[in-house]
Amino acid sequence: MERAKMAEESLETAAEHERILREIESTDTACIGPTLRSVYDGEEHGRFMEKLETRIRNHDREIEKMCNFHYQGFVDSITELLKVRGEAQKLKNQVTDTNRKLQHEGKELVIAMEELKQCRLQQRNISATVDKLMLCLPVLEMYSKLRDQMKTKRHYPALKTLEHLEHTYLPQVSHYRFCKVMVDNIPKLREEIKDVSMSDLKDFLESIRKHSDKIGETAMKQVPGAQDLVDFSPVYRCLHIYSVLGARETFENYYRKQRRKQARLVLQPPSNMHETLDGYRKYFNQIVGFFVVEDHILHTTQGLVNRAYIDELWEMALSKTIAALRTHSSYCSDPNLVLDLKNLIVLFADTLQVYGFPVNQLFDMLLEIRDQYSETLLKKWAGVFRNILDSDNYSPIPVTSEEIYKKVVGQFPFQDVELEKQPFPKKFPFSEFVPKVYNQIKEFIYACLKFSEDLHLSSTEVDDMIRKSTNLLLTRTLSNSLQNVIKRKNIGLTELVQIIINTTHLEKSCKYLEEFITNITNVLPETVHTTKLYGTTTFKDARHAAEEEIYTNLNQKIDQFLQLADYDWMTGDLDNKASDYLVDLIAFLRSTFAVFTHLPGKVAQTACMSACKHLATSLMQLLLEAEVRQLTLGALQQFNLDVRECEQFARSGPVPGFQEDTLQLAFIDLRQLLDLFIQWDWSTYLADYGQPNCKYLRVNPVTALTLLEKMKDTSRKNNMFAQFRKNERDKQKLIDTVAKQLRGLISSHHS
């Protein structure tokens, strides 16, 4: 078995070697390596070598046979070949000669060809260079365009150019070194554009800050297109640039922050703003200019500012403006300036309302300024009234012609049929301050009306405002002016009388002032809640004050005359005529009461009665004063003559309207006292004392005792030796007895 197996393997090996030999014979020698490797990979390469040697020998024998068969042909071929060699040498020589000639002749051509070759190379290089430059040229052109745009401050187009350069052109030539420089420079260029555009924005902000008043002035003139005075392109460019660069929010925040700062500056009024209207006008112009710009920005940009931001700024502006106006308007004392300020505020409010800003608070504040305006008017009219009253002559207005008469009647509502019938020349009962004061009251009403214009108030509100202000004018300003005149130290009775007459006519004119207000406001007086004028009260109070001043003035004049009294209380002689001072006093009273012709009857009567009572009281005090310690019966009789002069004046009726002897009753106390002493009617006095119808009812026992004591002391001093005469002794005893009885009456009365 083993031997059979070995025999089988030998056969397989032999067959494989045979196959390899055939493959070697039929295969290209370059590919024989793998075939030989298969032999050496096996273990039978020795046997293969033997077979290979055997195969080589076989082929050698076949080659030898083949050569022997073709030898004669080979010899013939060699012979022919030798012949050909000679011819070949000749041909070679000819070729060499031809070549030499050709080389000599083609040398210039070779040089030309070399030059042509070089030209072709340069041409290819130029063509390649042109192609590359054609790629680079747009990049360079774009970069040059970028620089030009930046130089001419066309920043937004520059940014667009930069975008195209970065994303479209540079990627095509990115392998060039200059492109890398450009790429590296792009962020710097962006920052430069950003910075320059921001610088332009700052210049814009500074410019509109300086020119806000001009913008506002144009807008306040109700001229459309005030915003056209401003070139907003820096804002738009900067906004677009920052938007493209992804920094829009940063730009919005910066813009709003800067404008808030500018708003605070604009809203800060100058310290002397209240001095002139131009100060207020410039202040308003700047505010209007600021908000005109912001309103335009709101409507021409998408979100740079929004309505909430604008409303916030306006609320701040409104509060600060109102506070500033309250402060500065309070310094103003000129009503014309306050009125001009009011008109300016109305224009300011109306202008901003056109741009959509709420201005109700401004009109509310104008109502506050209205009160201040009223106060400044009152102060102004206080001066006007003072000048009128100071310059008045306090004499009835003389009229010499119909023209003058109509002129006065046209200035003041006065009707008097009797006066109209009188021939010229004639006089109005009042002095010139009546028509002047009346017309100034109307001027004041007109001034109040002017302020109410354009305040969007109803007729009722205007009417109420005018009436309240006019009431203040009458009850405070005019009343104080009249009171000041009445209380002046140098005021005379004639002036006081004329003031009473004047105020009487002004009081009657109040109904015409009511009609005047009704006509200009178209609000009827009977309308509910309509304020009534208090003019009648004002003039009545002034008249009463003048009346009191007349009474006081008369009494003072009487006192001045009484200071001239120079009685000789120790005289025993009688002049049989009244004292000179008293005669002069009576003459003064007569002339004074003659002036009272135009006074209301009650006033004249009261003044006359007051004067007589004061005269009687003063005479009584003169008689009883402590300094007069002694007096004689002769002095008492002289004093009686003066009292009779006073009684005669009272009976003469210096002022009409008194009944019978009413005026004489002012002197009744003096008359009964003097009659008691001169008639020495003590028995009647003592007997009837306390009876309601007694003759000496007005004689007080204390007064009688005081006067009696003065006479008793005189009797004792002047009659030292008269005691030896019986009648003098009896008189002295009588005086002592009467004095004792009077003391008894006094003590019984007190008990």
Side-chain angles (χ1 to χ4, degrees):
M1 284 295 291
E2 186 176 342
R3 208 179 267 180
K5 186 176 179 181
M6 291 177 62
E8 186 178 352
E9 289 178 356
S10 298
L11 289 175
E12 290 177 359
T13 300
E16 179 64 20
H17 289 171
E18 187 63 29
R19 184 188 64 79
I20 291 171
L21 289 173
R22 284 196 302 272
E23 189 174 345
I24 291 171
E25 289 174 346
S26 61
T27 303
D28 188 6
T29 56
C31 299
I32 201 169
T35 303
L36 294 176
R37 183 174 295 171
S38 63
V39 174
Y40 284 97
D41 287 342
E43 297 179 355
E44 299 296 333
H45 56 276
R47 294 177 64 187
F48 176 76
M49 292 300 295
E50 291 176 359
K51 284 191 175 186
L52 181 60
E53 289 291 334
T54 301
R55 183 66 57 94
I56 290 172
R57 284 194 299 271
N58 290 333
H59 282 295
D60 287 339
R61 282 194 297 272
E62 288 179 2
I63 291 171
E64 186 178 356
K65 288 179 181 179
M66 183 67 68
C67 289
N68 290 331
F69 180 75
H70 294 289
Y71 179 74
Q72 188 59 44
F74 175 71
V75 172
D76 292 336
S77 297
I78 291 298
T79 303
E80 289 294 326
L81 185 60
L82 290 173
K83 291 178 181 180
V84 171
R85 185 173 67 179
E87 293 297 326
Q89 186 63 41
K90 292 179 182 179
L91 182 62
K92 177 182 177 183
N93 291 335
Q94 291 176 354
V95 169
T96 301
D97 186 52
T98 302
N99 179 57
R100 185 173 61 252
K101 292 178 180 180
L102 182 62
Q103 289 294 332
H104 179 72
E105 295 296 331
K107 186 175 183 179
E108 292 180 1
L109 180 61
V110 169
I111 293 173
M113 290 300 293
E114 188 64 31
E115 291 177 352
L116 179 61
K117 176 183 176 184
Q118 192 65 32
C119 287
R120 293 290 187 187
L121 179 61
Q122 289 176 353
Q123 187 179 17
R124 286 197 302 271
N125 290 341
I126 290 172
S127 178
T129 301
V130 169
D131 292 340
K132 298 300 181 183
L133 285 175
M134 291 301 292
L135 286 176
C136 294
L137 191 58
V139 177
L140 296 173
E141 288 176 346
M142 289 296 284
Y143 193 80
S144 176
K145 180 181 178 182
L146 172 64
R147 280 302 182 184
D148 289 340
Q149 289 171 335
M150 292 184 67
K151 186 176 181 180
T152 56
K153 295 186 177 181
R154 298 166 59 210
H155 304 122
Y156 182 66
L159 191 63
K160 290 294 184 183
T161 301
L162 188 62
E163 293 293 318
H164 288 301
L165 185 64
E166 181 181 19
H167 298 294
T168 304
Y169 293 93
L170 285 177
Q172 299 177 8
V173 290
S174 58
H175 52 284
Y176 293 112
R177 186 171 59 188
F178 78 90
C179 293
K180 293 180 181 179
V181 174
M182 287 185 181
V183 170
D184 293 340
N185 204 30
I186 283 176
K188 296 178 182 178
L189 291 172
R190 279 203 178 94
E191 285 301 315
E192 183 179 348
I193 292 173
K194 191 175 178 182
D195 292 343
V196 172
S197 64
M198 179 56 72
S199 176
D200 288 347
L201 176 67
K202 290 178 180 178
D203 292 342
F204 167 80
L205 292 174
E206 180 63 20
S207 175
I208 60 171
R209 186 187 69 80
K210 291 179 179 178
H211 296 93
S212 284
D213 57 340
K214 184 65 177 177
I215 301 166
E217 180 184 1
T218 304
M220 292 266 276
K221 291 178 181 176
Q222 306 295 314
V223 180
Q227 63 275 3
D228 295 340
L229 297 174
V230 182
D231 178 15
F232 289 92
S233 57
V235 180
Y236 303 147
R237 285 196 302 268
C238 200
L239 175 62
H240 290 317
I241 287 168
Y242 271 73
S243 298
V244 170
L245 295 176
R248 181 186 176 100
E249 184 177 355
T250 301
F251 175 77
E252 289 177 0
N253 292 336
Y254 176 81
Y255 177 85
R256 295 182 185 185
K257 180 180 179 181
Q258 294 303 313
R259 288 297 276 167
R260 280 192 181 94
K261 288 181 179 178
Q262 290 188 347
R264 291 187 180 94
L265 290 175
V266 165
L267 295 169
Q268 184 64 38
S271 59
N272 62 342
M273 181 173 75
H274 59 277
E275 294 178 357
T276 62
L277 188 66
D278 286 339
Y280 289 105
R281 184 179 287 112
K282 185 174 182 181
Y283 180 64
F284 288 142
N285 286 345
Q286 288 179 338
I287 296 174
V288 171
F290 179 90
F291 282 100
V292 165
V293 169
E294 290 308 288
D295 181 75
H296 188 73
I297 291 292
L298 174 68
H299 290 94
T300 56
T301 60
Q302 296 179 349
L304 177 55
V305 297
N306 53 34
R307 177 53 63 183
Y309 160 80
I310 295 291
D311 290 343
E312 176 193 348
L313 277 182
W314 175 239
E315 284 298 321
M316 177 185 72
L318 202 56
S319 62
K320 287 185 177 293
T321 302
I322 290 175
L325 289 175
R326 280 197 183 112
T327 300
H328 285 268
S329 63
S330 65
Y331 299 140
C332 185
S333 57
D334 180 5
N336 293 328
L337 179 57
V338 177
L339 182 62
D340 290 339
L341 173 59
K342 165 255 169 182
N343 293 330
L344 196 57
I345 293 174
V346 169
L347 180 59
F348 171 69
D350 289 344
T351 301
L352 287 168
Q353 194 170 33
V354 169
Y355 287 91
F357 295 99
V359 294
N360 291 336
Q361 292 184 46
L362 286 172
F363 283 100
D364 293 340
M365 187 207 58
L366 279 174
L367 299 182
E368 299 176 22
I369 295 182
R370 177 190 65 186
D371 297 334
Q372 182 191 341
Y373 174 70
S374 179
E375 286 299 319
T376 58
L377 283 181
L378 292 174
K379 290 179 182 178
K380 177 182 177 180
W381 257 259
V384 170
F385 289 145
R386 182 171 57 252
N387 292 335
I388 291 174
L389 297 176
D390 289 346
S391 62
D392 196 64
N393 59 8
Y394 294 93
S395 300
I397 301 175
V399 183
T400 58
S401 66
E402 185 70 24
E403 182 182 356
I404 298 176
Y405 186 89
K406 288 182 178 179
K407 180 181 178 182
V408 175
V409 173
Q411 293 174 343
F412 181 74
F414 176 78
Q415 292 180 347
D416 189 331
V417 177
E418 294 298 325
L419 183 62
E420 290 177 1
K421 292 179 180 178
Q422 293 178 15
F424 295 101
K426 51 188 174 183
K427 294 182 179 180
F428 285 97
F430 46 80
S431 69
E432 290 199 357
F433 95 55
V434 170
K436 287 181 179 179
V437 166
Y438 182 80
N439 280 287
Q440 283 303 320
I441 294 173
K442 291 172 67 176
E443 288 298 320
F444 178 87
I445 293 171
Y446 275 127
C448 292
L449 180 65
K450 285 180 182 178
F451 193 90
S452 65
E453 295 173 352
D454 302 319
L455 293 186
H456 313 303
L457 298 175
S458 66
S459 298
T460 305
E461 289 174 316
V462 173
D463 182 85
D464 185 65
M465 180 199 77
I466 291 176
R467 289 175 181 273
K468 287 180 178 178
S469 297
T470 306
N471 276 332
L472 285 175
L473 178 75
L474 295 172
T475 59
R476 193 172 79 187
T477 307
L478 181 55
S479 177
N480 289 341
S481 298
L482 289 170
Q483 294 292 340
N484 290 335
V485 172
I486 292 168
K487 298 297 181 182
R488 279 195 310 218
K489 290 183 179 180
N490 60 347
I491 190 74
L493 286 169
T494 305
E495 288 89 343
L496 290 169
V497 169
Q498 192 62 57
I499 287 173
I500 291 174
I501 296 169
N502 289 352
T503 52
T504 301
H505 286 285
L506 284 171
E507 180 183 347
K508 293 177 182 178
S509 72
C510 285
K511 63 178 182 179
Y512 297 103
L513 290 175
E514 290 269 10
E515 293 176 3
F516 177 70
I517 294 175
T518 298
N519 290 335
I520 64 175
T521 63
N522 296 319
V523 177
L524 298 177
E526 56 269 18
T527 304
V528 181
H529 304 308
T530 299
T531 304
K532 304 301 180 185
L533 290 184
Y534 302 142
T536 54
T537 305
T538 297
F539 299 124
K540 281 180 180 178
D541 291 344
R543 188 164 60 253
H544 291 156
E547 291 169 5
E548 291 296 327
E549 197 63 27
I550 284 177
Y551 307 149
T552 302
N553 196 304
L554 269 175
N555 293 344
Q556 290 174 350
K557 288 290 185 182
I558 292 171
D559 290 341
Q560 290 174 9
F561 278 102
L562 288 172
Q563 288 176 2
L564 301 175
D566 186 20
Y567 288 103
D568 182 2
W569 298 110
M570 302 303 295
T571 185
D573 300 326
L574 189 64
D575 289 342
N576 292 323
K577 65 175 183 177
S579 302
D580 292 340
Y581 87 89
L582 191 70
V583 174
D584 293 341
L585 172 57
I586 296 301
F588 164 75
L589 290 176
R590 288 186 187 282
S591 63
T592 298
F593 291 132
V595 180
F596 288 11
T597 307
H598 296 291
L599 282 177
K602 184 179 179 181
V603 176
Q605 292 167 16
T606 304
C608 188
M609 178 59 77
S610 171
C612 289
K613 284 183 176 181
H614 183 72
L615 177 57
T617 303
S618 299
L619 288 172
M620 181 68 80
Q621 291 173 351
L622 192 63
L623 186 64
L624 300 176
E625 64 183 5
E627 294 181 1
V628 182
R629 296 181 179 180
Q630 300 169 344
L631 57 82
T632 63
L633 184 60
L636 203 59
Q637 290 174 340
Q638 180 64 47
F639 191 79
N640 184 53
L641 289 175
D642 291 347
V643 174
R644 287 189 182 282
E645 187 72 19
C646 293
E647 291 173 327
Q648 176 60 34
F649 167 73
R651 282 194 298 271
S652 68
V655 172
F658 284 110
Q659 296 180 357
E660 299 179 355
D661 297 334
T662 303
L663 196 56
Q664 285 180 258
L665 292 176
F667 301 97
I668 190 63
D669 290 4
L670 271 174
R671 171 50 45 217
Q672 291 186 5
L673 179 63
L674 291 173
D675 285 349
L676 175 61
F677 274 83
I678 292 172
Q679 296 175 13
W680 207 253
D681 194 10
W682 293 105
S683 58
T684 303
Y685 176 77
L686 294 171
D688 295 344
Y689 181 77
Q691 299 298 321
N693 297 321
C694 65
K695 183 179 179 180
Y696 302 104
L697 178 66
R698 305 293 298 179
V699 179
N700 189 301
V702 175
T703 304
L705 179 60
T706 302
L707 190 57
L708 188 63
E709 291 288 347
K710 295 177 185 289
M711 294 186 70
K712 182 175 69 172
D713 292 341
T714 305
S715 299
R716 288 176 178 174
K717 181 176 180 182
N718 293 341
N719 298 288
M720 293 179 61
F721 304 101
Q723 57 182 332
F724 299 105
R725 289 180 288 197
K726 186 176 181 298
N727 59 338
E728 292 297 336
R729 290 198 304 271
D730 292 343
K731 185 177 181 180
Q732 189 63 45
K733 287 181 180 179
L734 180 59
I735 291 175
D736 291 338
T737 302
V738 172
K740 184 177 180 181
Q741 290 177 328
L742 287 173
R743 290 189 187 95
L745 286 176
I746 294 170
S747 54
S748 64
H749 177 72
H750 284 298
S751 62

